[in-house]
Amino acid sequence: MRLLFALCIALFAPLAQATLPIQHWQTARGAQVYLLENRALPMLDVSIQFRAGHAWEDKRPAGTASLTAHLFSAGTADLSEQQISDRLADSGAQLSPTVDDDLAGFNLRTLSSADELASSATLLAALLATPQFPETILERERARTISGLKEAETKPETLAERAFSAAVFGTHPYARDADVASVTSITRDDLVAFYKDRYRADGAVVVMVGDIDRAGAEALAERLTAGLPAGRPVPWSLPAVAPLAAASEARIAHPATQAHIMVGQPGMKRGDPDYFPLFVGNYIFGGGGFVSRMTDEVRQKRGLAYSVYSYFLPRLEYGPLMIGLQTKRESTGEALAVVRQTLSKFLAEGPTAAELKAAKSNLVDGFPLRIENNRKILDYVAMVAFYQLPATYIDDFIRNIEGVTIEQIRDAFRRRVDPGRMATVVVAGDQASP
Amino acid sequence: MLTRFMLVALTLLAAVFAPSAQANPETREVTLRNGMKVIVRPDRRAPVLISQVWYRIGSVDETNGITGISHVLEHMMFKGTRKVPSGEFSRRVAAAGGKENAFTSRDHTVYHQQLAARHLPLVLELEADRMRNLVLDEAEFKKEIQVVMEERRWRVEDQPGSLVYETLVGTALQAHPYRIPVIGYMDDLRNLTIQDVRAWYQRWYAPNNATLVVVGDVEPEAVFKLAEKHFGSLKPSVLPVRKPQTEPAQNGIRRVRVKAIAEEPTLTMAWRAPTLTDPEREWVPYALDVLSGVLHGYPGARLHTRLVREQRIAVDVDAGYDGIGRGPSLFMMGGSPAPGRTVEELEAALRDQVRLIAQEGIRPEELARARTQVIASQVFARDSISHQAGMIGNLESAGLGYRSESLLLQKMREVTPEQVQQVARELLRDDTLTVAILDPQPLPAGAKPKAPPSGVRH
């Protein structure tokens, strides 16, 4: 089957046209559904997502979103935790919760043979419709989560990430990090209420990729969403992220052999008008792996780090712009200076014509790798759908990349990236190795 | 690539739950006159491909004093040939829209690119060039060895789990070079020279020590022709004889402790176990695979159900066995005790689970579930061309041949409950066991997260 090839050829037509393989409809209760039929393999990937990530916890304890997502499989009205895992194992399906700042939901990978599909779909529908969040299992999972948090809090990367998100997001919900105290205080009522508030049918996004026809997909989508709480979650949007008022620098002591360095600020959001200039510019600056300026300056020219990168993490609201690296602690000062010089130079001069040509060439020619298999298509379509990007987003991707100019990149970086108001976090960079 | 404990189970899946040859009838191979093998599997679901060059050279071929050299050479392979300057390999592949990288394991060194199928000529030309024409400049080496030392700090020195694994394997194996960490010891890295690396390259990088694997939207005949064009003229080498270095028998339990910064201890147990050498006649490796599946291979399997859910002795448990490789295998179990419980209690509980199977065997539905995972994983694996190529390469590297894929799958499905019981009883004995404990050390005062400074935003 050359279905995906057909998709690539069809890229310049709008996503919503009937000639395209991606089909879209809405369930009776308002869930958005996307389907790509691909019969090459006897399997189906399904994702269902809700605005139920960490940023929506509101006044509930930090960690509520994660525990809720993970405890769907702790029991339904009719099935115990063990029965749920046994049924899953019997059908050979893989079910995993996904949680980030914006979203929470499930990915289901299942065989498409009738019995297996019926079994795994029935199970996921039951989890979504009647999760019980049993007290005894909550108690156990709370203890496991706390244990994991305590372990994480000994690690330099965790300390750096936390200090970074606190410095960049301040009082915004994106700064929320679960800790021992917050997780200790999570009750069953928190999970039940969070489920009822956030896992609602209207606004849920269901994506299916694989071996299923339209009728089967419609039935499946209805089934998955039929038992969910009705209506649309309130609130439906997040507060805007404020820009940083000033530069900050946090130094955290740790005996590790390597310093963990993070530099950044609020970056951009999904659907941002500057998305493409910032995306292409970042590929050149620090996103393009072995060929980025950051890798060239820090790793290739000076041997200061194994891993060095920058990224924008676009979210519903501004997610972080982050430049990160690890280097032996005595090189901290040198590495930080190189990061700052490289950024200043990029902001002052922008990319060269050759760099922009190479970047476009990579992003355009590499586009098929974004949709080469069912899992990647699932993730890509789910992203477009969850963030309510234009139906033509995937079709227009290549054209949007090709349209970016040096001047747009320079202009967008100057307006959006301010080296005078960067948050810097250094863990284990305070002195020579003990 | 460091093969750490958590990865063992995945490697196992990759090796054993393979797509059957029947499902991919078109897989084809040729051997060029210079001894280079070329294996091609068409998968036309998307207009892309993965190309991998596998050199049969890894840390298993290293000796003390030059540990980590195969991996250092992997890094140097991006540092230029007479025709293609340093960094240019990556730039050309990137400009073609490709994703590329390389990894080194105990058994092999692999260079891979994923990109639009029409760019195969580009990557084959580049790979053929660096197979024989690497410059190995000393100034580049002096910078890159720093990068590799940073990599070791990042992967091992500051990772308690990696330190434990390195010590565990170095204790379980005392003669076979599998005891050497893939990334090498820091002191060996510090003292490595460009002359060492040049000699290593001369000795091992040759067409008759390499296999090209291509999976994707390609015609096998066209790939064979391209491979002949680019690699066909390269001269083969006389490869050194590889000695078996068989690990002597272990006669008694071994215990080690590793101190590192951590909150809670961990426990890792490793039993000496056979490696698959004759896929047709042997059955023990398959039975060990199923045993690890019954213990930890699916949701609700024994270890998690009993130790985490019911007894609440552990916060996490693990089990795995990888019987595919060029050296000795280990059957591993481990976990982290729940707060208030000890590693001794966890060890006793894990041993109880083995003893239960040794004495009472397994239930039919457990075997059925383990088999179901085999079938499902076989289908799921076919969604990824890199997974398929990795499997072909792994089986070739281990000397089993890619054609054994379907046989392995069939043999896995033929394992009986009695065989699983027998390996639990006879192979997981104390005399061949090594136990490693992470002894957690507190962070020094002042290294705790602080509240963020207030008033920096508005």
Side-chain angles (χ1 to χ4, degrees):
Chain A
M1 291 268 302
R2 300 186 60 104
L3 197 49
L4 302 189
F5 187 52
L7 176 64
C8 295
I9 288 172
L11 274 173
F12 294 91
L15 189 65
Q17 271 185 14
T19 51
L20 275 178
I22 296 175
Q23 304 173 52
H24 171 227
W25 68 94
Q26 199 169 311
T27 65
R29 305 179 70 223
Q32 303 297 318
V33 188
Y34 297 81
L35 165 68
L36 179 71
E37 290 180 47
N38 183 354
R39 303 304 179 76
L41 300 172
M43 57 185 279
L44 177 69
D45 283 289
V46 182
S47 98
I48 181 164
Q49 295 178 338
F50 305 87
R51 294 196 177 201
H54 300 119
W56 307 99
E57 287 169 338
D58 193 25
K59 291 184 174 55
R60 296 189 185 93
T64 300
S66 283
L67 262 182
T68 304
H70 284 91
L71 283 184
F72 274 84
S73 56
T76 69
D78 301 318
L79 296 171
S80 71
E81 181 181 43
Q82 191 64 32
Q83 286 170 319
I84 291 170
S85 2
D86 287 349
R87 290 206 181 182
L88 207 52
D90 286 338
S91 69
Q94 300 170 348
L95 178 68
S96 45
T98 54
V99 189
D100 66 23
D101 281 352
D102 289 338
L103 65 85
F106 294 91
N107 281 346
L108 173 70
R109 170 163 268 201
T110 178
L111 299 173
S112 57
S113 41
D115 288 353
E116 279 71 22
L117 177 55
S119 170
S120 59
T122 303
L123 187 69
L124 179 54
L127 299 192
L128 290 165
T130 63
Q132 299 297 298
F133 308 113
E135 191 74 61
T136 54
I137 295 177
L138 169 60
E139 185 198 327
R140 182 193 78 210
E141 291 305 307
R142 207 164 36 206
R144 290 181 71 206
T145 306
I146 288 168
S147 174
L149 281 168
K150 285 182 172 169
E151 202 60 67
E153 284 170 5
T154 66
K155 297 182 186 304
E157 60 270 28
T158 309
L159 301 181
E161 282 158 15
R162 292 192 166 192
F164 182 77
S165 86
V168 171
F169 294 109
T171 56
H172 190 275
Y174 283 171
R176 292 178 74 88
D177 269 317
D179 58 23
V180 172
S182 75
V183 172
T184 305
S185 72
I186 295 173
T187 65
R188 181 172 181 275
D189 289 348
D190 289 319
L191 305 193
V192 171
F194 192 70
Y195 163 69
K196 286 188 175 154
D197 285 354
R198 307 302 315 178
Y199 285 78
R200 289 174 174 250
D202 186 352
V205 174
V206 179
V207 182
M208 288 167 274
V209 177
D211 184 22
I212 193 168
D213 63 16
R214 172 69 183 247
E218 282 183 10
L220 178 52
E222 291 298 334
R223 198 148 155 210
L224 291 180
T225 51
L228 290 167
R232 171 165 284 211
V234 178
W236 182 247
S237 56
L238 292 169
V241 174
L244 294 179
S248 68
E249 185 162 316
R251 298 249 173 186
I252 298 169
H254 191 286
T257 64
Q258 271 188 327
H260 289 245
I261 299 174
M262 295 182 182
V263 177
Q265 58 191 195
M268 65 164 159
K269 58 180 168 182
R270 285 285 169 194
D272 200 296
D274 288 322
Y275 180 85
F276 286 97
L278 292 177
F279 175 69
V280 176
N282 182 66
Y283 172 92
I284 296 163
F285 175 68
F290 290 117
V291 296
S292 76
R293 281 202 190 182
M294 287 297 302
T295 300
D296 198 44
E297 295 294 335
V298 174
R299 176 171 161 161
Q300 318 288 40
K301 284 191 189 154
R302 295 177 179 84
L304 286 172
Y306 171 66
S307 161
V308 52
Y309 52 84
S310 70
Y311 61 76
F312 286 91
L313 192 60
R315 295 246 189 255
L316 282 166
E317 293 298 330
Y318 284 18
L321 156 65
M322 208 250 271
I323 305 167
L325 66 92
Q326 300 86 36
T327 188
K328 59 185 177 297
R329 48 199 303 150
E330 50 270 38
S331 301
T332 305
E334 185 185 359
L336 257 178
V338 174
V339 167
R340 286 173 178 152
Q341 284 157 16
T342 309
L343 179 61
S344 299
K345 187 169 187 305
F346 190 74
L347 290 172
E349 299 169 8
T352 64
E355 283 175 324
L356 181 60
K357 183 162 175 277
K360 287 181 180 179
S361 174
N362 175 268
L363 296 168
V364 170
D365 267 22
F367 183 77
L369 295 178
R370 292 171 184 264
I371 50 169
E372 64 162 317
N373 62 35
N374 291 4
R375 175 57 60 75
K376 287 185 179 179
I377 295 170
L378 183 85
D379 290 346
Y380 204 24
V381 173
M383 186 281 291
V384 172
F386 180 84
Y387 288 104
Q388 301 180 310
L389 299 176
T392 56
Y393 182 85
I394 296 178
D395 308 359
D396 292 344
F397 183 84
I398 288 176
R399 196 158 50 221
N400 278 320
I401 295 290
E402 283 175 335
V404 171
T405 65
I406 290 177
E407 198 38 57
Q408 283 172 350
I409 292 174
R410 196 157 42 200
D411 171 61
F413 269 76
R414 279 183 189 161
R415 281 185 291 105
R416 303 292 293 268
V417 180
D418 184 349
R421 290 188 293 177
M422 285 275 175
T424 301
V425 172
V426 180
V427 176
D430 48 332
Q431 62 210 9
S433 206
Chain B
M1 184 179 77
L2 277 169
T3 28
R4 275 166 299 185
F5 185 24
M6 298 301 285
L7 292 179
V8 171
L10 293 176
T11 316
L12 170 75
L13 286 175
V16 176
F17 300 163
S20 66
Q22 192 186 9
N24 296 286
E26 288 190 84
T27 308
R28 301 256 319 270
E29 80 167 274
V30 297
T31 302
L32 307 182
R33 279 184 304 277
N34 58 19
M36 183 170 173
K37 197 184 266 193
V38 182
I39 304 173
V40 182
R41 176 178 293 172
D43 181 330
R44 302 196 171 88
R45 292 174 303 142
V48 300
L49 60 77
I50 182 160
S51 167
Q52 301 180 330
V53 176
W54 293 65
Y55 291 94
R56 206 158 183 261
I57 173 68
S59 58
V60 69
D61 301 295
E62 296 170 359
T63 56
N64 280 351
I66 56 162
T67 64
I69 192 171
S70 304
H71 172 252
V72 170
L73 176 54
E74 174 219 308
H75 276 238
M76 292 304 294
M77 282 282 277
F78 295 85
K79 296 301 178 184
T81 66
R82 289 190 284 276
K83 279 197 302 196
V84 179
S86 180
E88 185 66 19
F89 188 105
S90 299
R91 275 191 286 278
R92 287 192 197 171
V93 173
K99 290 192 301 187
E100 53 122 20
N101 212 326
F103 63 88
T104 307
S105 79
R106 298 182 303 188
D107 291 350
H108 40 250
T109 310
V110 184
Y111 302 85
H112 53 93
Q113 302 85 30
Q114 263 182 281
L115 73 185
R118 67 179 182 281
H119 291 307
L120 184 62
L122 169 74
V123 296
L124 294 193
E125 183 182 356
L126 287 168
E127 286 292 10
D129 177 43
R130 70 177 175 179
M131 181 178 283
R132 283 306 209 181
N133 301 317
L134 204 59
V135 169
L136 289 167
D137 173 70
E138 181 154 25
E140 290 279 6
F141 169 76
K142 291 212 152 123
K143 284 186 291 182
E144 199 59 25
I145 195 74
Q146 299 295 323
V147 171
V148 174
M149 286 193 265
E150 293 292 0
E151 184 177 354
R152 182 175 163 92
R153 291 183 188 101
W154 186 68
R155 288 188 191 278
V156 184
E157 306 286 330
D158 290 342
Q159 302 286 347
S162 302
L163 291 169
V164 170
Y165 183 79
E166 198 170 282
T167 308
L168 172 77
V169 174
T171 306
L173 304 175
Q174 311 214 322
H176 192 278
Y178 263 14
R179 67 195 308 278
I180 296 171
V182 172
I183 200 159
Y185 296 109
M186 193 61 108
D187 194 58
D188 283 349
L189 296 176
R190 273 192 207 101
N191 291 291
L192 201 65
T193 66
I194 187 67
Q195 287 77 22
D196 293 329
V197 181
R198 283 180 188 142
W200 204 247
Y201 178 71
Q202 292 305 327
R203 195 175 309 159
W204 296 111
Y205 276 54
N208 50 324
N209 197 35
T211 300
L212 170 68
V213 179
V214 177
V215 179
D217 188 13
V218 291
E219 294 297 336
E221 286 303 331
V223 178
F224 297 153
K225 252 186 221 162
L226 265 180
E228 174 61 37
K229 176 181 170 191
H230 294 293
F231 294 96
S233 60
L234 301 180
K235 297 260 180 310
S237 291
V238 178
L239 296 172
V241 173
R242 305 183 207 232
K243 302 192 177 177
Q245 306 187 69
T246 305
E247 179 73 17
Q250 179 178 343
N251 297 307
I253 194 166
R254 295 170 186 164
R255 290 183 180 273
V256 286
R257 296 177 81 84
V258 179
K259 289 183 179 178
I261 304 279
E263 182 70 22
E264 297 287 347
T266 65
L267 170 78
T268 317
M269 306 165 78
W271 285 267
R272 297 271 301 277
T275 297
L276 187 64
T277 54
D278 184 342
E280 182 64 55
R281 284 197 210 106
E282 288 165 354
W283 63 270
V284 169
Y286 306 113
L288 284 168
D289 251 342
V290 173
L291 175 61
S292 84
V294 167
L295 289 168
H296 194 60
Y298 53 84
R302 282 197 185 211
L303 292 188
H304 188 81
T305 296
R306 302 284 172 263
L307 273 53
V308 177
R309 288 182 179 170
E310 293 173 8
Q311 301 169 20
R312 303 197 179 185
I313 280 178
V315 289
D316 279 306
V317 286
D318 202 353
Y321 163 71
D322 181 2
I324 309 284
R326 291 171 54 193
S329 297
L330 297 170
F331 187 98
M332 300 180 81
M333 291 173 72
S336 311
R341 310 303 290 262
T342 64
V343 283
E344 289 76 19
E345 286 175 282
L346 177 57
E347 182 180 330
L350 287 165
R351 286 163 174 277
D352 274 346
Q353 292 304 315
V354 175
R355 192 177 311 122
L356 268 176
I357 293 179
Q359 288 170 358
E360 297 170 14
I362 58 173
R363 297 190 305 274
E365 68 265 28
E366 289 178 295
L367 188 65
R369 280 180 195 133
R371 279 187 187 147
T372 300
Q373 311 315 306
V374 173
I375 297 163
S377 305
Q378 174 213 6
V379 173
F380 298 156
R382 288 173 50 205
D383 191 38
S384 160
I385 56 172
S386 76
H387 197 115
Q388 295 181 60
M391 201 142 36
I392 291 170
N394 258 317
L395 290 171
E396 287 294 319
S397 164
L400 300 172
Y402 77 90
R403 286 194 178 83
S404 63
E405 277 180 28
S406 55
L407 179 62
L408 298 190
L409 185 67
Q410 182 200 329
K411 290 281 184 180
M412 279 285 293
R413 294 163 80 167
E414 288 170 7
V415 170
T416 66
E418 293 71 30
Q419 289 175 326
V420 176
Q421 185 172 4
Q422 190 180 340
V423 294
R425 195 171 55 228
E426 292 175 4
L427 269 84
L428 305 191
R429 294 176 301 111
D430 274 9
D431 280 357
T432 61
L433 172 63
T434 301
V435 182
I437 287 168
L438 168 64
D439 183 357
Q441 303 298 302
L443 273 180
K448 281 284 173 190
K450 285 178 221 138
S454 55
V456 293
R457 335 166 28 88
H458 51 195

